[in-house]
Amino acid sequence: ELEEIRVALKGRTEPIALYQPVDVDAVLDQYVEAESLGSDPYWARLWPAAVALSEEVSKHPEIVRGLHVGVLGCGLGLEGLAAALAG
């Protein structure tokens, strides 16, 4: 089951909407039960580093504007969305 969260970023007037599992720990439990810990379930969490990078991109869009930006290990993908919104 997913829930919508809205992330307010410094440098943006509108929050960014994301979807995440209602119970992130239950997702980890599923990976443990399936003995699939080689496949990290950390995509299911909004990481503080993602918020910090997204705020930096939102405050200074010129650092990504017009560029092709790739994000690896991005959790919920907030920083990629912030870069896309920056142009």
Side-chain angles (χ1 to χ4, degrees):
E1 183 177 352
L2 298 176
E3 66 181 347
E4 182 180 291
I5 60 170
R6 294 189 171 270
V7 183
L9 299 174
K10 295 174 186 167
R12 281 195 52 81
T13 56
E14 296 289 325
I16 296 177
L18 300 171
Y19 290 89
Q20 70 178 10
V22 171
D23 187 349
V24 176
D25 292 328
V27 173
L28 180 57
D29 290 343
Q30 289 176 346
Y31 275 75
V32 170
E33 289 171 13
E35 297 179 4
S36 296
L37 289 179
S39 304
D40 293 335
Y42 301 112
W43 56 266
R45 191 178 301 274
L46 179 61
W47 294 95
V51 174
L53 179 57
S54 299
E55 286 183 342
E56 196 63 23
V57 167
S58 294
K59 289 189 286 188
H60 305 284
E62 67 278 3
I63 62 178
V64 296
R65 187 173 292 132
L67 299 176
H68 296 279
V69 177
V71 182
L72 301 174
C74 61
L76 296 176
L78 178 64
E79 49 286 62
L81 292 171
L85 290 168

